[in-house]
Amino acid sequence: MKPFLATGAAAIALVLGLGTAQAASLDEIKSQGYIRAATANEVPYGYMTADGSAAGIGPEVAIAVLKRMGITEINWTVTPFGTLIPGLKANRYDFVAAEQNISPERCKQVAFTEPNSSYGEGLLVKKGNPKGLTTYADIAKDPSLKVAVVSGANNIDFLRAVGVKDEQVVFITANADALATVQSRTDAYAATELTVANLAKGQGAVEQVKPFTDPVVDNKPVRNYGGFAFRPEDKDLHDAFNKELVEFRKTDEYKKILASYGLSEESIKAASEKNVADLCAGK
């Protein structure tokens, strides 16, 4: 299933971030005939294919949910991960479909839906894992080690929680920069397990750390729960989408989308066992 892309004046406005649409309600979205969505170029969570279609866990579930709501035209834009929430708050798009981890800090800025996915952490290292890393805490044990993190990603919180110092961290703009960064100026790249797996696939100079132990924060292993983000003031749009998402999670179609991108049955089940209120409260 492929979304429609913005054309003409609508496309120009979208690119410039000056869209004239100020839609805040489901009725207004349906009246204007399209909805504006954003994702980061990060396989498998959300990205654009060569033919201009949106793909990945977030976009594909969003397309299915919006269809159930009677919305079939989606104007997609791709922006660096760290600018997703600022762009949403600036009204450059109506919601974000990038499987951002639902965290208390982010919940202060946006309104998340119930979880759409669940996933653990991972490390990308040079071939052969020369530093013998098995978890984030190993980086903290050697102050000379450097680790890369995408700016705006919550992996930095987990690194800090296990003792990694800020001077050990190298921030990069996008997931796509990780391969070159690990090969040239850091000892590892910290990201989610699926991000790392996709980056390592078919590569001869880097690999995914296996086995890897998820970092333990507040006496429990870290697990991410990705959701869709809306502006808090767009409550009716958020609530309508959230209602359909909860129903869609019960379908085989939903499970097939997540499984097609490598999520295990356990991770798919975990997403429906947590609720957004608890995640925003840090529980």
Side-chain angles (χ1 to χ4, degrees):
M1 189 185 302
K2 299 178 180 178
F4 292 94
L5 298 178
T7 56
I12 295 172
L14 182 65
V15 171
L16 294 177
L18 300 173
T20 57
Q22 300 294 319
S25 73
L26 180 59
D27 286 343
E28 288 170 331
I29 291 291
K30 289 184 175 180
S31 176
Q32 73 184 18
Y34 64 91
I35 190 169
R36 302 169 300 160
T39 193
N41 197 28
E42 185 175 11
V43 179
Y45 306 105
Y47 60 98
M48 304 300 286
T49 63
D51 67 357
S53 299
I57 297 169
E60 290 196 29
V61 171
I63 292 166
V65 169
L66 289 168
K67 183 178 180 181
R68 293 165 68 102
M69 294 168 62
I71 301 170
T72 57
E73 187 168 344
I74 308 170
N75 289 353
W76 288 97
T77 189
V78 176
T79 188
F81 190 89
T83 66
L84 286 167
I85 288 179
L88 178 65
K89 293 170 68 176
N91 197 33
R92 292 177 186 144
Y93 24 85
D94 300 306
F95 76 106
V96 173
E99 295 310 292
Q100 291 171 295
N101 185 52
I102 303 170
S103 67
E105 188 60 36
R106 287 178 180 151
C107 290
K108 295 175 183 177
Q109 304 181 69
V110 300
F112 277 106
T113 61
E114 294 297 332
N116 181 51
S117 63
S118 179
Y119 42 91
E121 295 292 293
L123 277 174
L124 185 76
V125 295
K126 295 178 179 66
K127 198 72 173 179
N129 192 8
K131 302 298 182 179
L133 304 177
T134 61
T135 186
Y136 289 176
D138 289 341
I139 299 169
K141 295 174 183 176
D142 184 348
S144 71
L145 297 180
K146 299 287 186 181
V147 58
V149 178
V150 167
S151 180
N154 68 317
N155 310 91
I156 184 62
D157 298 327
F158 307 146
L159 288 164
R160 287 169 174 161
V162 299
V164 175
K165 305 299 183 184
D166 284 359
E167 52 266 30
Q168 292 180 265
V169 179
V170 174
F171 288 101
I172 58 177
T173 303
N175 170 57
D177 300 328
L179 291 173
T181 302
V182 170
Q183 293 178 65
S184 63
R185 59 195 181 108
T186 68
D187 301 286
Y189 169 61
T192 63
E193 58 178 323
L194 291 180
T195 294
V196 172
N198 276 276
L199 283 170
K201 192 179 300 180
Q203 297 295 324
V206 298
E207 65 181 51
Q208 181 179 20
V209 168
K210 293 181 180 180
F212 176 83
T213 302
D214 280 326
V216 176
V217 179
D218 295 331
N219 297 315
K220 59 183 180 181
V222 167
R223 176 161 279 273
N224 298 276
Y225 293 87
F228 299 95
F230 290 78
R231 287 182 293 276
E233 57 267 32
D234 295 346
K235 187 176 185 302
D236 62 336
L237 178 60
H238 164 276
D239 290 353
F241 186 99
N242 193 54
K243 180 181 178 181
E244 288 298 340
L245 171 63
V246 170
E247 291 304 309
F248 185 60
R249 290 191 311 183
K250 301 174 184 176
T251 68
D252 288 339
E253 183 183 355
Y254 164 78
K255 295 170 185 174
K256 286 178 181 177
I257 291 173
L258 269 62
S260 72
Y261 285 103
L263 282 174
S264 65
E265 289 185 19
E266 291 77 15
S267 287
I268 295 172
K269 183 180 179 183
S272 62
E273 292 177 337
K274 273 283 189 178
N275 65 70
V276 66
D278 283 348
L279 291 168
C280 284
K283 298 180 181 178

